[in-house]
Amino acid sequence: MGTKFLLCDCAGTQELDAEKIASACGTACSRVHSALCTSELEAAASLMRDGDTVVACGQEQEVFRALAEELNIETPGFVDLRDRAGWSDQGADAAPKMAALAAEALLPQPITPSVDVFSEGTCFIIGPGEPCFDLAERLATSLAVTVLVTDDAQPISRAFDVVRGRVRSLTGALGGFSLRLDALQQIEPGGRGTFAWSDPRDGAKSACDIVIDLTGGTPFVLAPAKREGYLRADPKDAIAVERLTYEAVQLVGTFEKPLYVRMEETLCAHSRAEQVACTNCLDICPTGAITPAGEHVTIDPMICAGCGECAAVCPSTAITYEDPPASALLSRMHILARTYRRAGGSAPRLLVHDAHGAEMIRLAARFGRGLPADVIPLELNVISGFGHSEMLAALAHGFARVDVLLAPTTERDALERELELARAIAGADAIGLMDEADPDAMADLLYAQDVSPPLADPVLPLGNRRQIARLSAQALNPQAEAPLPLPENAPYGAVAVNTDACTLCLSCVSLCPSGALVDNPDKPQLSFQQDACLQCGLCRGICPESAIELIPQLDLSDAALSQQVLNEEEPFACVECGALFGVKSTVERIMEKLSGTHPMFATSDKARMIQMCDNCRVNAQFQLQDNPFQSNPKPKVVTTEDYFSKRKDH
């Protein structure tokens, strides 16, 4: 038996077309109830006993979870049709959107990989004595507390450890903090009167599971609100300090830490041969979880807060987001757009939001106009990693417009950068960021939008983020003949070579991390495949002649998928054996500069070696009187005859 939707019009406040929803989703629907969570709860119980169900209510989820537990059956799924579609000034026209949201609820969602984090409750409190000692007294019965006082306060209680000093560095996260301390002094508990302190020493090391920062100054870590296990409050705010007591004791035990991103080191274009190129992820990571590690970067999963910005700006797809992966997100957008059209809709708009946006939508529905009937909300855990590939893919799926609803805590650097890139490819009118904190104002903006028609023939872009972006761009620009100009630092583009300056040394080829620049083993030739270029700048930085320039653009033609010759010359023929080697113009230039002028090539015989291939040059060297490879003559072999002749002489 398939999944069945349990429909309820919430006391007659919304219109539901059960037949249209069932037809578009390809699944069964119950009759439309009016009080499924109260007076018709018995009917809900009967339907839930029959098999898999999805309850079309987001508000009363706890009621139905409790009912499932009472019936000893699996918890049903949930989809909010009322706040996101039914409660609206255009609720009578919202059947296609309801069908789309219902179909999305049926999609299985991948489980984000995770790792266990263990916290035994060792706690380090840093700050002035008075608030730290009070907090430590309350925590000492639950946690193993050490206080690092930053003033001259003297402890009275020995229920917890107390030290003096200053923090040189603090690294790690919940269950694995590491501290380096300078001027560390420990209590000497013996004797009468105030406690004495040991002599200060630098470079002390300590470790703990939880850090409580009451210094009131600059935090010891980047993005402290995102660092798990790092609690911080103003020591003058008694309520905030008291709140830390409750938060700290909750951080003991075993926790699941999601592995938000995956790193493929071989694809990273951070550096080659100690030449630094791409630093996008390093520059944008708000928590400092990403650090250089040779030719690639490394990501500390314990520090990573899962904002996804690194994956959005990674030009090579070395970093991919896993919560959810791009394939799962594309599946959701595809099913939303396809089902909307199947149910009779024509030009849907996509509103991407997080939990903050979901609350704004609920408030706008309950107290205001609600969302327009053609605006389909798509909720993500975080929206800061919604990059240009996803924006373009949404338009390619058939959405007429894509808006990202920002929250006050949203990391915006990557979004703004990705928006500029997406607009350069798809046009400025199709994509936008909505920075509005008032639910009614948000709804008014959506109702007032002028929306262009969507793509007439939607496509299904697949692959990695670069492939998705290219396929989407081709669908959105079917008539494009010239490459699309892109903003600076775009991850797509061409390489321009000054052939007058280029000597075909091929240093750029040896360092290109993506294989966009290639040589020809049979002749002096530099070729380029534009589709593979990351615009990382390694080739430009390593070129000894400064002959390379980067051109940010997106060539949608098939020519970008094949190699194009950027520079080539005739090889030089060895004057001895005729073998082809080197570059003819380079050999002639060296002859012109060195022959007869440089001491090593003062004679014609020596100068002639410049025109020889490797094998012939070595042979010629051996024939020279001042052969640099020459050694002392080989000693004569002594024979028996030599031995007897010496005896006769004596």
Side-chain angles (χ1 to χ4, degrees), residues 237-565:
D237 187 343
I239 296 177
V241 173
E242 188 64 31
R243 189 179 298 117
L244 296 184
T245 307
Y246 172 77
E247 295 177 5
V249 297
Q250 304 302 314
L251 297 178
V252 180
T254 302
F255 305 90
E256 283 192 355
K257 170 67 175 179
L259 300 177
Y260 295 107
V261 296
R262 181 169 57 87
M263 177 71 193
E264 180 55 59
E265 297 174 354
T266 58
L267 298 179
C268 183
H270 172 57
S271 72
R272 293 292 185 276
E274 299 184 355
Q275 297 292 320
V276 177
C278 177
T279 60
N280 287 353
C281 58
L282 294 167
D283 297 337
I284 210 162
C285 179
T287 63
I290 306 177
T291 53
E295 293 190 345
H296 56 84
V297 299
T298 184
I299 303 175
D300 188 335
M302 299 298 105
I303 298 177
C304 174
C307 69
E309 289 191 294
C310 55
V313 300
C314 179
S316 66
T317 70
I319 302 177
T320 53
Y321 196 62
E322 298 292 306
D323 187 33
S327 58
L329 178 56
L330 261 62
S331 295
R332 293 175 64 187
M333 293 192 294
H334 170 63
I335 201 69
L336 286 171
R338 186 187 68 178
T339 309
Y340 183 88
R341 292 191 298 271
R342 183 182 294 174
S346 59
R349 290 181 279 167
L350 187 67
L351 181 63
V352 182
H353 62 89
D354 57 9
H356 177 271
E359 182 62 22
M360 288 185 63
I361 291 172
R362 285 190 288 269
L363 292 173
R366 179 170 288 276
F367 301 106
R369 305 174 67 185
L371 296 181
D374 61 342
V375 173
I376 302 178
L378 175 65
E379 183 174 355
L380 303 177
N381 294 329
V382 292
I383 57 175
S384 47
F386 195 80
H388 73 278
S389 298
E390 291 81 4
M391 297 175 186
L392 297 175
L395 297 176
H397 280 307
F399 287 99
R401 181 180 172 87
V402 178
D403 285 292
V404 181
L405 179 58
L406 302 176
T409 57
T410 300
E411 300 288 348
R412 308 186 181 196
D413 293 342
L415 274 173
E416 292 172 352
R417 175 173 167 173
E418 294 295 286
L419 175 68
E420 183 183 10
L421 176 57
R423 281 179 165 176
I425 297 173
D429 297 333
I431 312 169
L433 299 181
M434 187 173 294
D435 191 5
E436 182 56 67
D438 181 79
D440 290 333
M442 172 203 69
D444 291 341
L445 287 174
L446 291 171
Y447 277 98
Q449 278 182 349
D450 292 327
V451 183
S452 301
L455 196 64
D457 296 313
V459 299
L460 182 61
L462 299 173
N464 61 34
R465 292 171 62 93
R466 291 180 65 87
Q467 294 165 338
I468 291 168
R470 178 177 179 81
L471 292 172
S472 300
Q474 287 177 325
L476 296 170
N477 298 275
Q479 307 301 325
E481 298 181 358
L484 304 176
L486 299 180
E488 190 177 355
N489 297 321
Y492 314 102
V495 166
V497 174
N498 183 347
T499 55
D500 294 332
C502 176
T503 61
L504 287 171
C505 69
L506 302 179
S507 297
C508 53
V509 173
S510 63
L511 292 189
C512 182
S514 64
L517 290 167
V518 293
D519 62 348
N520 187 336
D522 299 324
K523 62 184 299 186
Q525 188 180 77
L526 175 64
S527 298
F528 174 69
Q529 183 174 331
Q530 187 169 162
D531 178 59
C533 181
L534 308 176
Q535 296 283 287
C536 65
L538 262 173
C539 56
R540 180 177 58 186
I542 199 62
C543 180
E545 310 297 339
S546 300
I548 294 179
E549 291 295 330
L550 303 181
I551 305 174
Q553 64 179 33
L554 183 58
D555 189 348
L556 301 176
S557 68
D558 292 341
L561 305 177
S562 58
Q563 294 180 5
Q564 301 172 351
V565 177

